[in-house]
Structures are given as C-alpha cells and as structure tokens.
Amino acid sequence: MPNEAAKRACEELIVRLTHAQDHNRAQTAAALFVTDGTWIRSGVPHQGHEAIVRSFDRAGQSVVIRHIVSSTLIDVIDDDHATGVTYYLAFANRDDVAADSVRRLHSPASLGEWHDRFERTPQGWRFTQRTGVRIFES
C-alpha cells in the first residue's frame, strides 16, 4: 500500500515540524522543507531554509509555545506529491511564570488549520509549503 506509507510519512513530518517549532529548533524545522520550500506564518511567506530559520526570531526566546494537533487528513496526489490539512490548538506564554518555574496556563492563543503540500525527495518526504490559517485567536 504505497499510499498508506506516504500518508504515514507525511503525518510524521507534521509531528516533527510541530515538535521543532515548539522547542524553537529553527534549523531542524527548516530541514523538513525542500530547499526552496515556503512556510507562510501569520500571513508572511518565508521561502528557503535561511528565511525559515530567520522566521523563528520573530517570537523571541522568552515565548513558550505548545501546539496540540489533531484531525490530520492527507491526500496522496501521486507517488511524489501529497497535500494535507491539520487542525491545531496553540498555547503561548511570554513571561508569566509561577513560583515553581512552571508557566501559567492561559486560554489558547489560537486555533486553526495548517494547509500543507509535500514532495517525496531522495531524503524522504518534505514540505514544499505550509500555510497557517488562524480560525480563532485570543
């Protein structure tokens, strides 16, 4: 079942990118894209690995963010291309730290969808484009 293997690989790529984003690992995140891939974050396109890495500087190091993802739908177009939509719920905290160094939980920062395009490369499946679409925002 080649389609099932492609779907699973794309789903894993989504999880890896989410983890890299949540832990501010810009280089790791950029490597999950094709060389000229584009990540559209807050409506701003960042094309290429260097631009994707620079896009991580926007939030700053003091922001802690975590995404909860669900309802991923992957459509395999052909042997080398796929698309996907994933729902996400994001929590963000800039500086509100409790006495025990645990961040205080506030209402979600946003709820939305990631619209992804994937391509199979010699290194495995990679993003060609990711577009974040915020549906709700606090």
Side-chain angles (χ1 to χ4, degrees):
M1 288 192 187
N3 278 359
E4 290 306 314
K7 287 179 181 183
R8 179 68 189 118
C10 291
E11 289 168 350
E12 183 175 326
L13 204 58
I14 290 166
V15 172
R16 288 187 183 285
L17 182 57
T18 304
H19 192 264
Q21 181 179 6
D22 284 355
H23 294 275
N24 205 27
R25 294 186 179 131
Q27 296 286 345
T28 301
L32 299 174
F33 284 79
V34 295
T35 304
D36 63 345
T38 303
W39 191 350
I40 302 171
R41 300 176 80 179
S42 300
V44 178
H46 305 277
Q47 185 173 13
H49 288 181
E50 290 181 23
I52 291 170
V53 169
R54 282 194 308 274
S55 75
F56 275 72
D57 292 336
R58 297 176 316 130
Q61 297 297 318
S62 66
V63 175
V64 173
I65 193 164
R66 291 296 184 269
H67 292 86
I68 298 171
V69 297
S70 70
S71 304
T72 297
L73 176 63
I74 303 293
D75 289 315
V76 178
I77 307 300
D78 59 34
D79 289 346
D80 296 323
H81 300 90
T83 61
V85 176
T86 301
Y87 292 176
Y88 75 83
L89 179 63
F91 293 88
N93 183 303
R94 297 201 183 282
D95 295 308
D96 190 6
V97 180
D100 58 3
S101 298
V102 174
R103 302 272 175 159
R104 297 198 185 280
L105 183 63
H106 299 287
S107 63
S110 66
L111 183 143
E113 300 172 353
W114 289 319
H115 296 246
D116 297 317
R117 293 182 187 171
F118 307 95
E119 183 176 301
R120 190 165 58 102
T121 72
Q123 295 77 36
W125 285 88
R126 295 291 183 264
F127 290 93
T128 59
Q129 181 174 311
R130 164 164 275 194
T131 303
V133 178
R134 289 186 182 170
I135 308 299
F136 299 103
E137 184 174 77
S138 61

